Amino acid sequence: MFASATGFISCSEDIDNLNANPNAPEFVLPNTIFNSATKQYTDFLRDDFNSGRLSLPWMQYWGQNAYADEDRYLYRETTAESLYRNTYLVATEFKSIIDINVDPETAVQASAVGNNQNQIAASRIMLSYMFHRLTDFFGDVPYYSYGSDDPEFEALNIDESFSPRFASQEKIYADILKELRESADMINTSEDVFSTGDNIYGGDATKWKKFANSLILRVANRLKEVDPSTANSAISAAITSGVFTSNADNAVQAYDVTNTNASPFWQAFLDRTDFAVAKPFVDLLKGETGSFGPDPRLFQMAAPKSVAIADIKADNYEVSEDYADYVGIPYAFPLANTLPFTTYSFPSSNILRPDFGEVLMEYAEVSFILSENNGWNQAQYEDGVRASMTRWGVPAAEVDAFVTALPAATEETVLNQKYVGLYMQPHEAYSEYRRTGFPSTIVLPGETITLPAEQAAAAEVDDYIFEPGPDVTDLPFRLRYPQILQTLNGANRAEAVSGLSNGDTILSKLFWDVN
């Protein structure tokens, strides 16, 4: 009997052990999770599909030289699904950092790599950044909030629901402002966020606090036309608490010089050459459109048309300061694949390098927001232009000359310059266009585009009409929900769609889009 009982107990223990993964660590330090999560997020957010074939061309910073479909707003279903699905996958990582730091048993271990409250705050800031971007793409989405008990915020709570409800855009915006305010206030600036593993700020708590406050400016500014009281209150508190004051505060995800950990567009150009700088953007920087005259940032943002991709990637070319050497690829041109590479400019070696840092937010944007908030303030407008030019490496004397010659600050001049400043941050530029209608220099559906002589000769046409894929007269107002949601979360998706003015189409405006 004793032997039988002993055998039974032993078998029971073996059965229990089957549920444990012997290869999984019992505890993962939160700094390693954070390290991976910020890179994962920027990897997919800024890659060749979710940026290169979506908002980079839509905002006419870049254009495709082989396929014009996405430039004509016929974006791929896989892009919408990637933005949606991957945001939640990475969000679970940031939530796990919060969970580790609020659990007394694991918080002690987590404190070895940084202040517990600071780790929670940084994770809340990143979650706010991610959900803000997600709701600006789709509208109502399932939402998670650390500091709220709202029953509609069901995302990431997989123990309770595999089919979370969609929270309204209005609720999400209100809670993001609350999350960012509480995150900034809970940061202890006398201690690190993480001792290692923070590839945005190197663990600097003071800069994370400024990032939270600066994000409040971005989020609140989107609300100014629909809820000015909330927006102005949030902006005032953020400024008092401390926003970016120089380029040293910029939030930038760092990358490595090795191909394994290289920036998204370096990876995209390893074997392909699908993208070039678009003609509307080049023409603006050449001073052929807009009201600013020639802009020396062009030499830092694009390469001369005669330079081959191999030389750009090797940083083995002479930067020309002759504006005639820079020509953009015609936007959404159906015959773009007939144009030789030597007839248009590729991105510069400042961008096509493995360690190109992906900017999440920068001081120039803060300055433009402050200018707008203060009735198109001239000094803050100039600060924004100066900060952008300096960050891109324009020599100081050229910066001074350009800023001195700037036209007066108005809605159009400030927002057109903000557009230039958001180069390589196209998702934010896309949201700002929907909010404001600026920049005023992009090509709209139905317009006729005249080709430069060299391109016209190669394509054997002098001009063409920008014909969008869908029947629209402007940019899409949103992305459609991924089709997979009809199976995975059909009822809640249907409820969210019922609140859209034109159904689950690109013609349904978000609640703040009232321009």
Side-chain angles (χ1 to χ4, degrees), residues 52 62 69 82-83 124 191 298 353 402 437 513:
W62 286 10
D69 284 354
S82 172
L83 288 166
R124 293 172 77 179
E191 296 189 37
L298 176 61
R353 69 174 199 259
F402 187 82
D513 184 358

Side-chain angles (χ1 to χ4, degrees), residues 3-78:
S4 298
T6 303
F8 178 78
I9 293 170
S10 176
C11 288
S12 297
E13 290 175 347
D14 289 342
I15 290 171
D16 289 340
N17 288 337
L18 288 176
N19 293 320
N21 180 358
N23 297 316
E26 293 184 8
F27 177 76
V28 180
L29 286 170
N31 61 329
T32 63
I33 302 173
F34 196 86
N35 181 312
S36 173
T38 60
K39 180 180 181 297
Q40 282 181 290
Y41 182 62
T42 48
D43 279 354
F44 79 78
L45 186 72
R46 300 285 178 83
D47 71 10
D48 51 331
F49 281 94
N50 300 339
S51 178
R53 292 181 174 85
L54 190 73
S55 53
L56 258 177
W58 286 8
M59 291 311 301
Q60 298 175 23
Y61 291 122
W62 286 10
Q64 295 187 82
N65 56 19
Y67 312 104
D69 284 354
E70 288 102 343
D71 298 20
R72 297 170 51 240
Y73 312 144
L74 294 170
Y75 68 91
R76 307 184 192 203
E77 172 65 19
T78 51

Side-chain angles (χ1 to χ4, degrees), residues 452-471:
E454 187 178 18
Q455 294 179 356
E460 299 183 345
V461 294
D462 293 326
D463 53 40
Y464 68 100
I465 297 174
F466 173 23
E467 298 180 352
D471 185 16

Side-chain angles (χ1 to χ4, degrees), residues 205-478:
T206 299
K207 291 185 177 180
W208 275 103
K209 185 181 183 77
K210 287 185 177 182
F211 184 29
N213 284 317
S214 299
L215 280 175
I216 289 173
L217 296 188
R218 175 187 283 182
V219 177
N221 206 41
R222 205 91 87 231
L223 294 176
K224 291 198 74 171
E225 295 298 319
V226 293
D227 190 354
S229 176
T230 297
N232 291 333
S233 177
I235 289 172
S236 178
I239 294 170
T240 300
S241 181
V243 297
F244 292 167
T245 56
S246 75
N247 281 330
D249 296 327
N250 295 349
V252 183
Q253 169 65 32
Y255 282 91
D256 199 359
V257 294
T258 64
N259 286 345
T260 304
N261 293 310
S263 61
F265 276 109
W266 176 262
Q267 303 276 12
F269 274 85
L270 282 177
D271 301 309
R272 299 180 67 95
T273 52
D274 290 349
F275 309 101
V277 187
K279 185 177 187 295
F281 188 60
V282 172
D283 288 352
L284 172 61
L285 294 181
K286 290 171 73 170
E288 295 177 0
T289 59
S291 56
F292 304 106
D295 186 334
R297 276 174 291 187
L298 176 61
F299 311 142
Q300 309 300 324
M301 294 173 166
K305 62 186 176 67
S306 61
V307 180
I309 280 289
D311 290 326
I312 294 172
K313 291 172 63 178
D315 194 14
N316 183 32
Y317 68 96
E318 185 175 345
V319 175
S320 170
E321 295 192 0
D322 182 350
Y323 286 90
D325 289 339
Y326 297 81
V327 178
I329 190 167
Y331 183 70
F333 181 42
L335 300 177
N337 60 358
T338 67
L339 302 178
F341 285 177
T342 55
T343 62
Y344 51 79
S345 295
F346 285 105
S348 73
S349 58
N350 288 329
I351 296 164
L352 297 186
R353 69 174 199 259
D355 59 344
F356 175 70
E358 290 288 350
V359 176
L360 301 181
M361 191 172 189
E362 63 181 295
Y363 170 56
E365 181 188 347
V366 168
S367 297
F368 292 128
I369 294 172
L370 293 176
S371 175
E372 178 177 352
N373 190 58
N374 291 319
W376 313 109
N377 178 275
Q378 180 74 22
Q380 289 163 332
Y381 155 59
E382 292 179 5
D383 286 345
V385 176
R386 185 178 296 277
S388 173
M389 299 185 81
T390 301
R391 184 177 77 78
W392 279 100
V394 177
E398 295 180 37
V399 174
D400 290 341
F402 187 82
V403 171
T404 299
L406 280 172
T410 63
E411 180 183 27
E412 181 173 18
T413 58
V414 173
L415 293 177
N416 278 351
Q417 277 298 319
K418 185 177 186 180
Y419 164 70
V420 177
L422 288 171
Y423 181 55
M424 300 311 296
Q425 302 170 66
H427 300 322
E428 182 59 21
Y430 173 48
S431 291
E432 279 295 274
Y433 178 80
R434 288 176 287 165
R435 179 181 75 92
T436 67
F438 290 97
S440 57
T441 56
I442 65 173
V443 176
L444 293 176
E447 291 189 21
T448 299
I449 297 97
T450 300
L451 295 175
E454 187 178 18
Q455 294 179 356
E460 299 183 345
V461 294
D462 293 326
D463 53 40
Y464 68 100
I465 297 174
F466 173 23
E467 298 180 352
D471 185 16
V472 296
T473 58
D474 206 336
L475 272 69
F477 298 137
R478 61 182 287 275

